[in-house]
């Protein structure tokens, strides 16, 4: 008899928990039915989308009516009852970089009848998963949204030549592990290069030049065995050039000039005999001592780069 009572108690507890969970789930869309200030009101069919948003984006961002995350969520809820995380992320990119007011090219973007794979600068694979984001030189402004890190199949991010500010989101380093090309050069980005860049095991080319990136060059770059090009010139990097970079087996091009780096080019890097090795090693008092560089540069007030083989001045070392 006692065993039956215990079993009934367990079953009743499980039933109560399921009822409570169902009620909590139901309350979610009811609580936020006025999330968007205009029609349509959030309904039960939007529950899946709300759950995904609160889990992956956060309540604060979604409920703030001035955030691009909120704008993208409401756009999704207005246009369709089906929840599509990829489409949502693309909408965040548009709103976060002022697509409606600044972009020079935005063909098909935010057109409800057009699949996101047809939007300007977007390429997808056969599964209609976004693999390339080519939005260079479109006059994008604002911040690089961390939601890009949710596009797990991305192989190429090109946002160069815009007016983007802020830091490079950590979530990109952690989430876009299949990335092969990262082009964020010629923007207004600042902050440090996260050591979590080591997660991008397939990265082949890294272009961050022409920003305001500070801190040191992360030695974690050494774990990126596919890396061929590292272009960090014209930033605010400090410290010395880490010898660990010599452990990158495929490295061919390293440009670190026009920074605040000091010391001597590591002999391990010199031994690799790179196709191009460029540093601030020109002038009477070079910031970096380098006998193996292919091009040596000097900063203000002279602003000059010299080919070490020919002795001729070069405008943009390549």
């Amino acid at each position: 008899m006692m065993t039956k009572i215990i079993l009934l108690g367990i079953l009743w507890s499980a039933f109560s928990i399921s009822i409570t969970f169902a009620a909590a789930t139901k309350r979610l869309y009811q609580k936020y039915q006025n999330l968007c200030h205009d029609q349509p009101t959030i309904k039960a069919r939007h529950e899946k989308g709300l759950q995904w948003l609160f889990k992956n984006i956060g309540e604060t961002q979604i409920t703030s009516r001035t955030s691009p995350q909120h704008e993208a969520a409401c756009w999704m809820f207005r246009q369709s009852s089906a929840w599509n995380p990829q489409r949502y992320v693309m909408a965040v990119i548009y709103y976060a970089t002022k697509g409606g007011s600044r972009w020079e090219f935005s063909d098909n973007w935010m057109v409800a009848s057009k699949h996101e794979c047809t939007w300007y600068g977007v390429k997808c694979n056969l599964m209609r998963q976004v693999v390339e984001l080519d939005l260079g030189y479109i006059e994008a402004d604002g911040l690089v949204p961390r939601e890009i890190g949710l596009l797990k199949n991305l192989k190429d991010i090109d946002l160069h030549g815009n007016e983007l500010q802020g830091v490079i989101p950590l979530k990109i380093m952690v989430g876009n592990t299949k990335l092969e090309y990262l082009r964020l050069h010629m923007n207004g980005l600042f902050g440090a290069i996260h050591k979590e860049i080591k997660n991008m095991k397939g990265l082949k080319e890294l272009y961050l030049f022409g920003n305001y990136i500070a801190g040191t060059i992360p030695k974690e770059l050494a774990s990126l065995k596919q890396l061929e090009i590292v272009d960090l010139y014209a930033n605010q990097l400090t410290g010395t050039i880490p010898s660990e970079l010599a452990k990158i087996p495929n490295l061919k091009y390293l440009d670190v000039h026009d920074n605040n780096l000091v010391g001597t080019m590591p002999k391990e890097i010199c031994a690799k005999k790179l196709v191009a090795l460029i540093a601030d090693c020109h002038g009477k008092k070079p910031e970096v001592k380098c006998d193996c560089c292919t091009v040596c540069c000097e900063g203000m007030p002279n602003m000059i780069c010299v080919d070490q083989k020919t002795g001729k001045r070069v405008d943009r070392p390549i």
Side-chain angles (χ1 to χ4, degrees):
M1 182 67 178
M2 182 61 68
T3 301
K4 290 183 178 180
I5 292 174
I6 292 172
L7 286 174
L8 286 171
I10 293 172
L11 289 172
W12 176 254
S13 296
F15 178 73
S16 298
I17 291 171
S18 65
I19 292 297
T20 301
F21 178 77
T25 302
K26 183 178 181 180
R27 285 197 298 270
L28 185 60
Y29 78 83
Q30 289 179 332
K31 180 179 179 180
Y32 295 100
Q33 61 181 337
N34 295 317
L35 175 69
C36 304
H37 60 84
D38 56 358
Q39 295 297 324
T41 302
I42 301 301
K43 300 183 183 301
R45 66 176 182 271
H46 298 132
E47 183 66 29
K48 181 180 179 181
L50 283 171
Q51 289 180 3
W52 186 93
L53 287 167
F54 278 52
K55 177 182 178 181
N56 293 280
I57 309 301
E59 180 179 0
T60 301
Q61 293 289 77
I62 297 303
T63 57
S64 173
R65 292 189 173 180
T66 60
S67 75
Q69 291 79 10
H70 172 86
E71 288 186 275
C74 289
W75 178 77
M76 289 287 293
F77 290 141
R78 291 186 198 106
Q79 65 150 336
S80 174
S81 59
W83 184 252
N84 182 341
Q86 174 175 273
R87 193 171 178 84
Y88 168 76
V89 171
M90 301 300 287
V92 172
I93 294 171
Y94 180 82
Y95 288 117
T97 59
K98 303 180 182 178
S101 60
R102 292 298 304 273
W103 286 16
E104 185 175 358
F105 305 104
S106 58
D107 297 358
N108 291 342
W109 277 79
M110 315 310 288
V111 177
S113 61
K114 299 289 186 179
H115 192 277
E116 59 271 19
C117 290
T118 69
W119 295 356
Y120 174 84
V122 179
K123 290 186 180 180
C124 296
N125 57 22
L126 293 177
M127 301 296 292
R128 301 191 113 184
Q129 299 166 325
V130 176
V131 294
E132 291 186 25
L133 192 60
D134 184 0
L135 299 175
Y137 276 117
I138 63 167
E139 299 187 14
D141 197 354
L143 304 177
V144 178
R146 62 190 181 95
E147 284 78 9
I148 291 178
L150 295 171
L151 299 175
K152 302 297 185 181
N153 295 287
L154 266 182
K155 293 185 177 181
D156 190 341
I157 297 175
D158 189 349
L159 300 175
H160 86 280
N162 288 300
E163 297 181 29
L164 299 170
Q165 304 94 41
V167 300
I168 302 173
L170 174 63
K171 199 160 188 175
I172 289 180
M173 304 293 184
V174 175
N176 300 125
T177 56
K178 296 181 180 180
L179 205 66
E180 297 179 3
Y181 306 95
L182 181 58
R183 315 171 203 266
L184 299 177
H185 50 289
M186 299 171 65
N187 278 290
L189 303 174
F190 52 84
I193 303 172
H194 302 294
K195 64 181 181 179
E196 283 79 5
I197 196 171
K198 65 184 179 181
N199 293 297
M200 295 180 166
K201 298 297 185 182
L203 195 64
K204 296 179 180 178
E205 299 181 9
L206 175 64
Y207 298 93
L208 298 178
F209 67 84
N211 284 289
Y212 301 97
I213 295 172
T216 58
I217 300 174
K219 62 183 180 180
E220 285 78 10
L221 287 172
S223 64
L224 305 181
K225 304 306 181 184
Q226 305 302 317
L227 201 55
E228 298 178 4
I229 296 175
V230 178
D231 197 337
L232 304 175
Y233 105 87
N235 278 291
Q236 297 179 356
L237 295 166
T238 56
T240 58
I241 301 165
S243 61
E244 286 84 357
L245 299 185
K247 297 179 182 179
I248 305 174
N250 295 313
L251 187 64
K252 299 174 182 174
Y253 181 108
L254 175 62
D255 189 347
V256 294
H257 89 278
D258 198 7
N259 278 287
N260 299 314
L261 298 167
V262 296
T264 302
M265 184 66 67
K267 61 182 180 179
E268 295 88 350
I269 294 178
C270 285
K272 292 183 71 67
K273 297 181 179 180
L274 302 180
V275 174
L277 179 57
I278 308 159
D280 290 321
C281 47
H282 185 73
K284 294 181 179 180
K285 294 182 179 180
E287 296 176 27
V288 176
K289 295 180 180 179
C290 184
D291 296 329
C292 62
C293 285
T294 59
V295 173
C296 279
C297 300
E298 184 177 358
M300 294 291 289
N302 295 323
M303 294 295 291
I304 184 175
C305 288
V306 177
D307 187 302
Q308 294 302 92
K309 281 188 177 181
T310 65
K312 294 181 179 181
R313 181 171 178 168
V314 291
D315 294 326
R316 167 67 172 101
I318 57 175

